[in-house]
Amino acid sequence: MRFRSLAEMGVLSLWATMGVAYAAPRFTVGNVPSYYQGSFGTASHISIFYDASYLQFRNRSWRLKLMVPYLSVSGLPRGAQLTGGGVARRTGTTQTRSASGLGDIWLSAHYTVYQGSGLLPAVVPYTKVKFGTASVTNGLGTGRNDYEVGMGLDEIIGTRIFPFAHLGYRFVGNPVGGNLRNIWTYDVGSSFIATSRNIFTAMFSGSGSEQPGYAGPADVILAWNYNVTRAGSGFQLYADKGLSNGSANYGVGLGAQVVF
């Protein structure tokens, strides 16, 4: 389960409406608290609270985003570490610990090289950097940076349906003795505008496993956006169901954003 990407989930539906309706520059400030439970491929029952605050700028071509999360975890096996939104460096120990603090900060940039026309989707290459700001001592991170490059395809069907697909390759920062490997990341789904205020999104998201010998995360996500203003200020609610041993059993999130 990539709980970092789920923190961005509420923005996907927002992009679908704003990317079409507004060419003028826009700033968004948001906060998305979320909660996950599962084994994540370990013998422990792990609970994670992930509270992500973000600042985003977008215009017709660019979307730049800085995300700063607070992280609290319980049931994490001693010696295990969180990384990139999952669990790595799993160990066989039954001893667990709890910890809280600053998570890994993410900076991303998306650039639309082709706006799309008719049956041809918009083409949006992107790059992301995960700064290793989370505590290594407490197991909240690896202390190493990750770098991801990828490509997104965003389509418009009529005026209400917005399919999307993204494929990326992440260069994983490998701490000493970590034996972590680079991974592919992917998601595919669609947003649907039910009314001017209500937007629904369904998405399948996954990646390879950073630690050899374990299953990578795979999740189905359902989200609801409610727009209070025409610009896109409003609320998001989403639910996650893990489909693999590397995912959480379930996750839920409720967030809000202000667009100006």
Side-chain angles (χ1 to χ4, degrees), residues 159-234:
T159 59
R160 293 179 178 270
I161 302 175
F162 298 82
F164 56 85
H166 305 93
L167 178 66
Y169 188 76
R170 184 176 301 170
F171 299 90
V172 176
N174 196 16
V176 176
N179 192 31
L180 303 183
R181 61 187 179 187
N182 300 335
I183 59 172
W184 289 95
T185 68
Y186 55 88
D187 62 64
V188 60
S190 182
S191 293
F192 172 73
I193 300 178
T195 70
S196 60
R197 294 184 181 273
N198 293 280
I199 306 166
F200 298 91
T201 300
M203 173 174 131
F204 174 72
S205 176
S207 75
S209 174
E210 296 174 342
Q211 187 174 13
Y214 292 88
D219 299 79
V220 170
I221 301 142
L222 299 176
W224 167 55
N225 277 48
Y226 181 79
N227 289 337
V228 177
T229 70
R230 185 173 180 272
S233 298

Side-chain angles (χ1 to χ4, degrees), residues 1 3 6 34-42 44-50 72-75 87 219 240-253:
M1 189 282 304
F3 50 80
L6 295 186
S34 49
Y35 176 77
Y36 308 92
Q37 278 193 353
S39 65
F40 300 91
T42 71
S44 301
H45 185 76
I46 301 172
S47 298
I48 298 174
F49 174 71
Y50 190 81
S72 181
V73 59
S74 63
V87 177
D219 299 79
D240 169 279
K241 174 57 182 174
L243 303 179
S244 78
N245 191 43
S247 298
N249 291 337
Y250 69 88
V252 292

Side-chain angles (χ1 to χ4, degrees), residues 82-115:
L82 304 181
T83 177
V87 177
R89 300 194 70 173
R90 299 170 178 88
T91 64
T93 180
T94 58
Q95 295 182 324
T96 63
R97 62 179 171 183
S98 300
S100 301
L102 177 69
D104 291 324
I105 295 174
W106 285 83
L107 179 65
S108 63
H110 295 69
Y111 182 73
T112 303
V113 297
Y114 177 68
Q115 295 290 342

Side-chain angles (χ1 to χ4, degrees), residues 19 22-26 57-64 111-112:
Y22 299 102
R26 297 273 175 170
F57 166 81
R58 73 163 302 131
N59 57 23
R60 184 170 176 81
S61 298
W62 284 97
R63 178 160 65 92
L64 307 175
Y111 182 73
T112 303

